[in-house]
Amino acid sequence: MSSLTAALTLDAAGGGAVINRNIYGHFAEHLGRCVYEGLWVGEESPIPNTRGIRNDAVAALRQLNPPVLRWPGGCFADEYHWRDGIGPREQRPKMINTHWGGLVENNHFGTHEFFDLCGQLGCEPYICGNVGSGTVREMQEWIEYITSDADSPVANLRRKNGRDQPWKLAYFGVGNENWGCGGNMRPEFYADNFVRYNTYVRNLSGNRITRIACGPANADYVWTEALMQIAGRHLDGLSLHYYTVTGEWARKGRATDFTESEWHQCLRRTVDIDELVTRHSAVMDRYDPARRVGLIVDEWGTWHDVEPGTNPGFLYQQNTLRDALVAALNFHIFHRHAGRVTMANIAQTVNVLQAMILTDGARMIVTPTYRVFEMYQVHQGSTALPVGVSSPDYALGGQAIPAVSATASRNAAGAVHLSLVNTEPHRPAEIACALSGPVGARAHGRILTAPAMNAHNTFEHPDAVTAADFTAFSRRENNLTVALPAKSIVTLEFSK
């Protein structure tokens, strides 16, 4: 089959916004086997662990240079009462996770365990507080418990529970999806509640918190308007949730058993987030032209039907090459909007939705999406560079998306990274790229692809989809040519 042809321009001397490293953030909700088994196994477990947190998961995630981890939800956050998760574990009360499968949880993973996990990962904590069923006092005292060094009853309770010095808390979400599972609120009602609760999210003992308000679902621009109008001067971030659903909510489509039409529709719905970010940003710009407030895409990723035979409330799905392309395309869009998008958190870290890691008891594998995070971490904290793309369409069933997508950045050392995606599952792409500015002569490439669209890793075959060295490119002065295989993701590095 003949190759597609595409043309790119890359200005290495140009400059855009800095790609906030938090765009590569993660999300771990008390949902299914994400926290319990996926991250927490308990100190008595035969699975190797450090203070109850499984070592293999931490080691794998550390390889991604994770910047931030959001917890405890999600919908779970607005039914979580933090005092149930502190103190001697054997004395902690159990609770029913009413949102996700009716599981009875023992609260063995709470505030102290979460901060221990963040310390082991080397990432910043992002806690989502309870507005839906919690009180202002409860939220105020949680902040005090975490961050205060005062001689106060709440800070002394933390000391009694084994932590003398306060932790640093960088990010705090005042509620989650309060338009839905967080209370079914109207935007004006939530905005007033945000201002009220936020008053008591105080900066204590030298700690400074970035306060994140519950933002819209998908294309609810009315919600964004109301929040920015009523509460804009009080918030530092506004969240946005968007999931790529191939079918309909009632029947989303299988994670591994899908047609090319479903492949195309999944990728097409992924790139729709570009319009959402653009239009929500435009609303925010009217109230915040200086772009002080970040757009926080703290839930994103694919949402497929659960794997057959698993608890439907656990949201366990496999992860294929298609999901990897979804991740890469999302990153390209977030990079383009780096002036407004300051954090993104994929849903979720382990065993839930578009996970980095899957576990089965003591066994663990990484997913194709994990490999994208691994390949793209070079863009964290780098300056976005202008990239022009002239690509043919990948058309199917009367719908079309660009066959080739690209993003580029320059890091502090001057190295330039160019990442490319070919969404076409059958045809390779020949790309002619005109370079300008300082692009180093030393080059190295990595590629993620596989023979089949639904290729995925299993516990029996954990490396069916993995990254490999890529050499199918050549350069002559300022002209770069890349032979990009079908259904592939490539990152090229140019250094001095």
Side-chain angles (χ1 to χ4, degrees):
M1 186 174 290
S2 61
S3 297
L4 303 165
T5 58
L8 269 64
T9 59
L10 169 58
D11 180 8
V18 172
I19 299 168
N20 195 310
R21 63 188 303 264
N22 288 336
I23 284 173
Y24 290 82
H26 301 270
F27 172 33
E29 183 170 6
H30 285 242
L31 197 173
R33 295 184 298 113
C34 181
V35 172
Y36 293 100
E37 185 195 315
L39 293 166
W40 173 262
V41 293
E43 292 173 296
E44 304 304 318
S45 173
I47 298 172
N49 67 85
T50 300
R51 295 180 296 279
I53 297 166
R54 60 186 298 162
N55 294 342
D56 54 359
V58 168
L61 291 170
R62 283 186 65 90
Q63 293 298 313
L64 303 181
N65 192 24
V68 62
L69 179 65
R70 180 176 183 245
W71 172 85
C75 292
F76 181 83
D78 280 284
E79 65 179 15
Y80 181 68
H81 301 282
W82 68 270
R83 284 181 178 267
D84 294 341
I86 61 173
R89 293 193 191 101
E90 64 277 7
Q91 297 177 19
R92 297 180 190 179
K94 295 180 180 180
M95 66 172 291
I96 300 175
N97 190 334
T98 59
H99 284 293
W100 305 119
L103 181 73
V104 176
E105 299 196 7
N106 59 21
N107 273 311
H108 283 191
F109 189 92
T111 301
H112 289 252
E113 292 77 17
F114 172 65
F115 277 92
D116 189 4
L117 173 61
C118 290
Q120 292 187 38
L121 292 175
C123 71
E124 295 284 0
Y126 171 11
I127 284 180
C128 193
N130 184 344
V131 170
S133 68
T135 65
V136 171
R137 178 177 178 177
E138 182 179 15
M139 188 175 290
Q140 174 191 358
E141 290 185 342
W142 200 9
I143 298 296
E144 183 180 347
Y145 184 89
I146 293 168
T147 64
S148 175
D149 64 1
D151 182 11
S152 71
V154 177
N156 287 335
L157 178 60
R158 183 195 67 239
R159 295 183 179 101
K160 178 182 176 182
N161 289 330
R163 175 75 185 192
D164 182 34
Q165 294 300 313
W167 294 284
K168 293 296 184 182
L169 175 61
Y171 305 98
F172 191 85
V174 182
N176 167 81
E177 293 190 0
N178 300 99
W179 38 262
C181 62
N184 288 298
M185 302 176 186
R186 295 183 303 113
E188 296 82 4
F189 182 79
Y190 170 73
D192 287 339
N193 270 281
F194 171 84
V195 174
R196 177 176 174 233
Y197 277 72
N198 181 64
T199 302
Y200 301 93
V201 180
R202 296 192 172 106
N203 292 322
L204 304 174
S205 305
N207 184 75
R208 296 201 62 82
I209 296 174
T210 296
R211 290 85 174 274
I212 299 169
C214 167
N218 300 336
D220 188 353
Y221 305 109
V222 172
W223 184 281
T224 300
E225 185 87 33
L227 261 293
M228 293 302 297
Q229 184 178 48
I230 297 169
R233 68 186 181 90
H234 300 282
L235 55 90
D236 303 307
L238 185 69
S239 74
L240 169 66
H241 292 178
Y242 178 74
Y243 287 96
T244 297
V245 177
T246 303
E248 304 302 327
W249 276 106
R251 190 173 182 179
K252 303 176 185 68
R254 294 283 296 275
T256 58
D257 183 13
F258 55 84
T259 64
E260 184 180 350
S261 176
E262 290 171 307
W263 163 282
H264 188 277
Q265 185 161 316
C266 183
L267 299 184
R268 179 169 55 82
R269 289 189 175 178
T270 295
V271 299
D272 285 347
I273 197 174
D274 189 39
E275 179 182 355
L276 296 179
V277 172
T278 298
R279 293 186 62 182
H280 285 296
S281 294
V283 175
M284 296 172 74
D285 284 347
R286 291 202 295 273
Y287 299 93
D288 176 36
R291 297 196 161 188
R292 180 190 63 83
V293 178
L295 186 59
I296 313 294
V297 190
D298 54 18
E299 292 188 27
W300 67 271
T302 53
W303 194 325
H304 307 304
D305 290 335
V306 301
E307 294 302 307
T310 66
N311 187 325
F314 284 9
L315 304 188
Y316 178 79
Q317 66 187 43
Q318 252 295 353
N319 192 298
T320 70
L321 183 64
R322 178 178 63 165
D323 298 284
L325 266 69
V326 167
L329 292 172
N330 271 287
F331 285 138
H332 292 195
I333 292 165
F334 299 154
H335 292 181
R336 284 201 295 274
H337 294 278
R340 178 64 83 177
V341 176
T342 57
M343 186 191 297
N345 307 77
I346 192 167
Q348 289 187 15
T349 309
V350 190
N351 289 332
V352 172
L353 298 176
Q354 192 174 350
M356 303 291 104
I357 290 170
L358 303 178
T359 67
D360 178 22
R363 298 189 295 176
M364 187 206 78
I365 59 173
V366 302
T367 66
T369 298
Y370 174 98
R371 295 302 179 190
V372 176
F373 274 72
E374 185 179 54
M375 290 170 59
Y376 275 51
Q377 65 179 292
V378 293
H379 296 293
Q380 289 188 25
S382 296
T383 299
L385 295 177
V387 180
V389 183
S390 177
S391 169
D393 284 339
Y394 167 37
L396 192 69
Q399 302 288 338
I401 58 174
V404 174
S405 177
T407 190
S409 66
R410 182 185 62 246
N411 68 17
V416 171
H417 293 97
L418 171 64
S419 293
L420 303 162
V421 172
N422 182 1
T423 63
E424 236 284 2
H426 305 299
R427 301 175 65 188
E430 293 292 332
I431 301 173
C433 183
L435 307 174
S436 61
V439 179
R442 298 177 59 187
H444 176 69
R446 298 283 285 169
I447 184 170
L448 187 71
T449 189
M453 291 185 291
N454 67 344
H456 56 281
N457 297 331
T458 66
F459 295 100
E460 294 71 32
H461 302 284
D463 295 317
V465 184
T466 192
D469 288 340
F470 178 71
T471 58
F473 63 94
S474 61
R475 179 179 175 186
R476 188 170 183 178
E477 296 180 346
N478 288 329
N479 296 307
L480 172 70
T481 302
V482 183
L484 192 62
K487 57 184 181 308
S488 68
I489 304 162
V490 163
T491 291
L492 300 175
E493 177 180 274
F494 299 94
S495 58
K496 299 176 182 177

